[in-house]
Amino acid sequence: MSVDTPRGQRGGDLPAQAGTTLPDLLTEAAFDDHHPPSPELVADCVHCGFCLPGCPTYALWGEEMDSPRGRIYLMQQGNEGEPMSASMVRHIDNCLGCMACVTACPSGVQYDKLIEATRQQVERRGSGHRPLRDRVLRAAIFALFPHPGRLRLLRGPLALYQRSGLSRLVRRSGVLERISPTLATMEAVAPPVERQVRIPPFMPARGERRMTVGLLLGCVQREFYPGVNAATVRVLNLEGCDVVTPPGQGCCGALSVHSGREREGPDYARALIDTFTETGVERIIVNSAGCGSTMKDYAHLLADDPDYAERARDFAARVRDISEVLVELGPVARRHPLPVTVAYHDACHLSHAQRVRSQPRQLLGQVPGLTVREVAEGDMCCGSAGIYNLTHPEPARELGDRKAANVAATQADLLVTSNPGCLLQITDALARRGRHIATAHLVLVLDASLRGKDPDALLRGAEKASPRSAAATGAGCACGSGGCG
Ligand code: SF4
Ligand code: SF4
């Protein structure tokens, strides 16, 4: 598989894989000595099994090797010289990377570090064990998703497809399901094409300036949820932040890092650090949980790079989820009442990977009239998990259905979360269930309260954000005036 790096190819010190044959794969030790999963971290696991009930794949299949403990055992086998097998690759690929096991583990096992190192080995040394279809799919995903410019090219054709009614016809026919569950999933979760929003490079605070922050635009967020970025800027401005949005930002590398693509991930990280250099921002704000967890880990990702190690530490120390910085600042702008009942879904990369759980609830609790309901099995992944719902559509769908049932049981008017992938996945699962609950990113709710929007408009706007609707959300411009879009 070719590796498309954004700039400055720095992976030249990786062991070469060209010419690896199937017999090699079957006899060579699974891991080489380039960053194998740390034997010390593997040894931290005492095999107690406390992590098993919260693991989505163990919950689905009850298979030890699809549990955190089983996967750590496979890593130990790899470290002891066992060859990489198709079954090892499958069990590692089956992991959603949700990190529920990290928060569940009483022994502090750093499964996040272990799975990241193992995935790099699998990607470099074991991808030949994957079916051809899977390899082609992964190549296609990485040729598209980390590239906002390429995603932008999809907007026109996708809008035409959605607005022409063809989308409804295709869905009713079930033809995609028969051809490929992955294609059917892509079609079902494809977000409606919103009006594009231009975020100015600098948006000043309203009233007294309290902080200068930078904003990550994201890839999918920028092209398919521009209203969320616009709302993020408005909320930050109203809470006294100057917002700097450096133009020319690329991908943060989250998808690549989580998939073990060890050349791409660090290159994206270096490019993003360069983009924010000289901006002088005190915090770098992220409104997508998966991106935030990766950016907070840049110090680890670039630890071996003498040119970037220190800059990565400085950058990572300034990264905050939008909910963290708003709680840190404390509210100054007036909250208008929103009499709606909200079910809050914890995105795994916010709650498990970043341990950000209380802040979104605190912010929702500051909105007069708003009621928050907890979702049963709240620690369980919804099945989105980066690219998991594309590479593993069937189990992702089962997890989505399970999440939708738990959300529906809350009887809430609105499902709120902080990650675009979760929004797409849960919205589609709720629609499949035939149960209408509007869905929205957390900042859209805060924005509606700060601007005194009619709660019905919020629910209607959220409804329009459903991938099952082709209508555009009225996200408007970043400043709210209507003039900058
Ligand atoms: S990862 Fe932690 S919780 Fe799971 S079996 Fe090992 S020690 Fe126990
Ligand atoms: S990251 Fe999630 S899916 Fe993977 S082993 Fe841990 S709990 Fe299971």
Side-chain angles (χ1 to χ4, degrees):
M1 190 185 301
S2 72
V3 175
D4 172 20
T5 52
R7 70 163 87 163
Q9 186 71 265
R10 287 170 181 254
D13 56 345
L14 297 178
Q17 284 303 292
T20 303
T21 63
L22 190 58
D24 290 340
L25 286 174
L26 297 176
T27 54
E28 275 184 2
F31 304 149
D32 60 25
D33 58 6
H34 180 76
H35 295 165
S38 155
E40 291 78 27
L41 296 188
V42 167
D44 285 343
C45 176
V46 297
H47 314 296
C48 64
F50 283 155
C51 55
L52 268 58
C55 171
T57 52
Y58 187 76
L60 285 179
W61 305 314
E63 161 74 42
E64 175 70 15
M65 288 305 150
D66 280 315
S67 77
R69 183 173 63 186
R71 292 185 178 113
I72 291 171
Y73 178 69
L74 290 174
M75 294 170 197
Q76 185 182 343
Q77 283 192 318
N79 277 337
E80 289 170 356
E82 285 285 314
M84 187 90 69
S85 64
S87 132
M88 182 188 280
V89 171
R90 194 174 60 252
H91 292 305
I92 296 299
D93 282 352
N94 280 345
C95 171
L96 291 107
C98 68
M99 306 308 160
C101 49
V102 177
T103 43
C105 176
S107 301
V109 171
Q110 294 179 54
Y111 183 87
D112 48 344
K113 300 279 183 294
L114 289 172
I115 191 70
E116 187 182 317
T118 306
R119 287 213 149 126
Q120 290 179 2
Q121 296 278 345
V122 167
E123 192 65 25
R124 194 152 40 75
R125 297 169 61 78
S127 65
H129 284 296
R130 291 179 180 137
L132 178 63
R133 200 181 50 179
D134 190 17
R135 280 179 274 160
V136 171
L137 173 66
R138 284 170 188 267
I141 287 171
F142 284 99
L144 179 64
F145 284 93
H147 302 278
R150 295 178 196 172
L151 288 173
R152 199 167 308 139
L153 293 177
L154 280 185
R155 287 173 49 88
L158 185 59
L160 191 64
Y161 170 74
Q162 290 171 338
R163 288 167 192 165
S164 66
L166 192 58
S167 154
R168 272 192 300 279
L169 274 179
V170 167
R171 252 177 224 160
R172 270 197 218 117
S173 73
V175 64
L176 287 182
E177 199 62 61
R178 287 194 289 279
I179 297 170
S180 152
T182 294
L183 270 183
T185 300
M186 284 177 108
E187 201 279 338
V189 303
V193 179
E194 294 182 10
R195 183 156 64 89
Q196 187 52 286
V197 181
R198 186 180 72 81
I199 306 284
F202 179 78
M203 287 293 289
R206 300 280 182 95
E208 190 188 339
R209 189 184 70 75
R210 302 161 80 199
M211 191 180 273
T212 301
V213 302
L215 176 67
L216 177 87
L217 292 172
C219 298
V220 170
Q221 193 88 288
R222 180 183 333 185
E223 297 305 327
F224 291 104
Y225 280 128
V228 171
N229 281 338
T232 303
V233 174
R234 282 193 298 264
V235 169
L236 286 165
N237 285 162
L238 286 166
E239 292 292 15
C241 294
D242 283 350
V243 181
V244 179
T245 308
Q249 331 180 359
C251 175
C252 69
L255 288 183
S256 305
V257 171
H258 296 155
S259 299
R261 295 166 72 92
E262 61 189 308
R263 293 185 178 188
E264 274 176 4
D267 274 339
Y268 284 128
R270 280 184 277 263
L272 195 67
I273 291 170
D274 288 347
T275 305
F276 278 90
T277 302
E278 311 291 338
T279 56
V281 296
E282 297 159 75
R283 303 278 185 273
I284 296 157
I285 307 303
V286 188
N287 55 25
S288 166
C291 305
S293 71
T294 299
M295 290 162 64
K296 286 182 178 177
D297 205 34
Y298 274 2
H300 168 71
L301 186 68
L302 297 175
D304 291 346
D305 184 331
D307 296 334
Y308 277 84
E310 197 180 327
R311 294 174 67 192
R313 274 197 298 277
D314 170 68
F315 182 96
R318 287 182 287 152
V319 174
R320 297 286 187 282
D321 182 70
I322 174 71
S323 64
E324 288 181 285
V325 81
L326 292 176
V327 167
E328 179 188 341
L329 284 165
V332 289
R334 180 177 169 210
R335 268 75 176 151
H336 298 271
L338 280 180
V340 292
T341 302
V342 160
Y344 181 73
H345 163 71
D346 285 298
C348 294
H349 278 94
L350 197 57
S351 65
H352 297 307
Q354 300 183 53
R355 313 280 173 127
V356 174
R357 297 178 62 87
S358 64
Q359 293 90 334
R361 290 173 172 80
Q362 238 175 293
L363 294 171
L364 290 170
Q366 290 166 359
V367 177
L370 187 146
T371 305
V372 182
R373 294 210 175 130
E374 292 298 326
V375 179
E377 295 189 322
D379 282 341
M380 185 75 75
C381 181
C382 66
S384 170
I387 62 169
Y388 194 86
N389 59 354
L390 301 181
T391 57
H392 295 75
E394 289 94 350
R397 180 179 282 223
E398 279 189 62
L399 291 169
D401 289 343
R402 187 167 173 153
K403 183 62 70 182
N406 284 323
V407 170
T410 65
Q411 304 279 324
D413 310 310
L414 181 67
L415 182 277
V416 173
T417 189
S418 304
N419 193 48
C422 304
L423 269 178
L424 295 171
Q425 173 81 352
I426 299 174
T427 307
D428 183 52
L430 284 167
R432 213 167 35 241
R433 196 182 159 78
R435 165 90 199 179
H436 175 70
I437 297 178
T439 57
H441 192 288
L442 173 70
V443 292
L444 292 181
V445 178
L446 300 178
D447 182 52
S449 172
L450 293 184
R451 297 164 77 200
K453 267 176 87 171
D454 175 0
D456 287 341
L458 170 68
L459 296 177
R460 280 198 306 276
E463 180 183 349
K464 284 178 183 175
S466 158
R468 297 212 174 247
S469 160
T473 56
C477 59
C479 65
S481 71
C484 65

